[in-house]
Amino acid sequence: MIEWQEAGMRAQDAVRRKDWSAAQVHFTQCVSLRPEWAKGHACLERAIAKEQEAQQAEQQAEQQATISGAMVSISTGAQSSDMAAAGNQHRVKGAKLLQHERELLEQGSLTDVTHEHATAIWLRAEGTKLERLEHRAASTDVATSSGVTAMAAVYRPMGDIELSHLREHGVLPSTQPYQTIVRGEAGRAYAEKYLLGTKWVDSSPTSVVEFVCPSALIDELFAMQSKP
């Protein structure tokens, strides 16, 4: 009984601190000591649900940070007015930045690399330094039993509507005929050809977005769906 009470007190303390992982451990101990305790089972279920909510929120935040911080974007010049955005180096007749582009430019997440006489505004971000990301993971708990999880950067060209859906919902829309991704620096260069006009697709790409994922996942996707 004393052991059960101590486990209950530790669980309550974890709940007050919103440490749902610890609460789950302590409530599990409680119900193992007193399986007939209905309230304990209810508390355990709540702790599990809360921990899952916290993990989902963290994943969404990381995903949004990756989308916002690793994007190459140009405006298509669909607007009719001249534009000199904050930090813009050159005026481009008929071009206007979207709100998220202006915000990222002002934050320094994007750099204006528009050249003279350009017909569109060019904004660029450096790609994710994977070795730095893996080094940071090595100092935390983002590791497997065999070491730090290897990561890969993949890129996808997309138009404004698709990018807007991705930014709002955190997933690619199901309306696209296929979801092309290309890997690494060579893949990024290939994706940017759609912005340069040397490659063409009817979705009118205006941006190239970087996704950073476990290498094992990308290997699996390419094995399943890549063209020969």
Side-chain angles (χ1 to χ4, degrees):
M1 181 64 72
I2 294 177
E3 186 179 358
W4 170 77
Q5 291 175 338
E6 290 178 347
M9 292 175 63
R10 289 193 294 269
Q12 291 175 2
D13 179 65
V15 169
R16 283 193 294 269
R17 292 183 285 107
K18 295 185 178 181
D19 185 347
W20 302 113
S21 179
Q24 182 179 341
V25 170
H26 298 313
F27 279 127
T28 298
Q29 185 179 7
C30 286
V31 298
S32 67
L33 293 170
R34 288 188 59 186
E36 77 285 357
W37 187 40
K39 183 177 179 181
H41 288 281
C43 290
L44 175 58
E45 291 177 1
R46 180 171 179 267
I48 293 173
K50 287 291 185 180
E51 184 181 16
Q52 291 174 343
E53 289 176 7
Q55 290 175 346
Q56 290 172 356
E58 183 177 355
Q59 290 172 356
Q60 289 174 356
E62 290 176 352
Q63 186 177 38
Q64 186 63 33
T66 298
I67 293 169
S68 299
M71 178 164 46
V72 183
S73 177
I74 66 170
S75 83
T76 58
Q79 302 295 328
S80 59
S81 62
D82 288 352
M83 175 67 185
N88 215 27
Q89 296 175 351
H90 304 282
R91 287 179 178 269
V92 178
K93 186 176 181 179
K96 187 174 182 179
L97 296 178
L98 300 175
Q99 181 178 350
H100 75 272
E101 294 171 330
R102 291 196 302 270
E103 291 173 353
L104 291 170
L105 184 60
E106 291 168 0
Q107 294 167 8
S109 298
L110 291 174
T111 301
D112 186 342
V113 294
T114 308
H115 58 84
E116 193 173 1
H117 307 305
T119 57
I121 301 171
W122 285 80
L123 305 176
R124 184 175 180 85
E126 293 299 320
T128 300
K129 304 297 183 183
L130 297 179
E131 64 276 8
R132 187 179 304 168
L133 180 67
E134 292 173 355
H135 175 75
R136 185 168 66 248
S139 63
T140 63
D141 59 354
V142 187
T144 64
S145 58
S146 59
V148 177
T149 301
M151 305 298 285
V154 295
Y155 300 87
R156 173 170 171 78
M158 60 183 69
D160 292 339
I161 295 176
E162 183 178 355
L163 179 56
S164 177
H165 186 282
L166 175 62
R167 288 177 56 83
E168 181 177 353
H169 302 287
V171 296
L172 294 172
S174 59
T175 54
Q176 304 309 105
Y178 58 89
Q179 306 287 7
T180 295
I181 56 173
V182 283
R183 187 172 188 170
E185 287 300 318
R188 175 172 177 164
Y190 179 88
E192 289 178 355
K193 290 182 179 180
Y194 289 95
L195 307 187
L196 295 168
T198 55
K199 297 282 293 182
W200 184 89
V201 69
D202 60 8
S203 58
S204 303
T206 57
S207 304
V208 173
V209 178
E210 176 189 77
F211 299 86
V212 178
C213 314
S215 290
L217 172 62
I218 300 304
D219 290 341
E220 183 178 357
L221 290 175
F222 272 67
M224 292 169 55
Q225 300 186 18
S226 65
K227 295 181 180 179

